[in-house]
Amino acid sequence: MTSGVDLSRPQAQTVGSDEDVVRVRQLVRTVAVAVKLSLVDQTKVVTAASELARNTLVYGGGGTVEVAAVDNGRRPGISIVFADSGPGIADLELALTDGYTTGGGLGLGLSGARRLVDEFDIQTAPGQGTRITITKWSR
Amino acid sequence: MERVPILKIGDILLVSIQVDMSDQTAVALQEDLAERIVATGCHGVIIDITALDIVDSFVGRMLSTIASISRVLDAETVVVGMRPAVAITLVELGLSLNGIRTALNVERGMELIAADREREYDEFDDSSDAEPTASP
């Protein structure tokens, strides 16, 4: 394989700085290409990953991102887990509203990322950190 | 940290983003551009994003901020070269890129800025023509 990424197991990337967010984007791009997502779908999942990795850094105080090639028996896809042990999210519904932000951003990170992927799962509670899993299937 | 180079071509500052920018690099570009606009007195800024394979909310906000800053400094910003997949993703993400003018490529961006300046000069001429001449 030319990409140099082993698709048989999840690839982990710690997120502790700005540059790590760039590395997450590159890793997600590599796997998205390998599982043959269309160019538009690659762009969507890389953009979603960029938003969520930034959240892990800015709101979660850093954490880890795991990128895996997956298969549901009919189609291949890419699955990404963003985990931090930060303060967690108290009001999830509010946090998922367009334009809501506590960090001075545009408030599109969570809500926008959710629109860009096929599956979006979030587990969080105050003081318990946040764990978000997104999946994009090839069409 | 990497820095994005800013080129001066006549009355225009050209920024061609060729790297996957970290957030810090994007913020530095905002500040560098503001300084160069004032230092050169340029009236146009073209930001070429042909090489960017994504524009997320952070970079989108940076583009809007640059457009606002340059307007305050009497320069017009045009973003050129957006890829189709990036445009589709931006809209789905919910970014409207408020106040940003776009063109398909650098050449059209330059034409847009030149046409703007011409219109402004014309308006200026018209208003000075309308001034009554002072009588002794």
Side-chain angles (χ1 to χ4, degrees), chain A residues 6 21 26 42-43 47 52 57 68 71 74-75 87 90 109 113 123 126 134:
Chain A
D6 178 7
V21 176
Q26 289 162 352
Q42 286 169 32
T43 307
T47 305
L52 297 174
L57 178 67
D71 200 308
R74 292 185 300 126
R75 296 182 297 183
Q123 283 165 12
I134 60 173

Side-chain angles (χ1 to χ4, degrees), chain B residues 17 21 25 27-29 34 38-41 45 58-59 61 75 85 108-109 111 114 121 127:
Chain B
I17 304 173
M21 286 188 296
T25 302
V27 170
L29 174 59
V38 172
T40 59
V45 175
F58 195 90
V59 171
R61 182 167 62 151
R108 291 208 186 167
E111 286 168 7
Y121 283 129
S127 57

Side-chain angles (χ1 to χ4, degrees), chain B residues 59-79:
Chain B
V59 171
R61 182 167 62 151
M62 174 207 78
L63 294 173
S64 289
T65 307
I66 286 177
S68 306
I69 293 172
S70 29
R71 197 165 301 126
V72 174
L73 298 174
D74 191 24
E76 192 65 36
T77 301
V78 183
V79 172

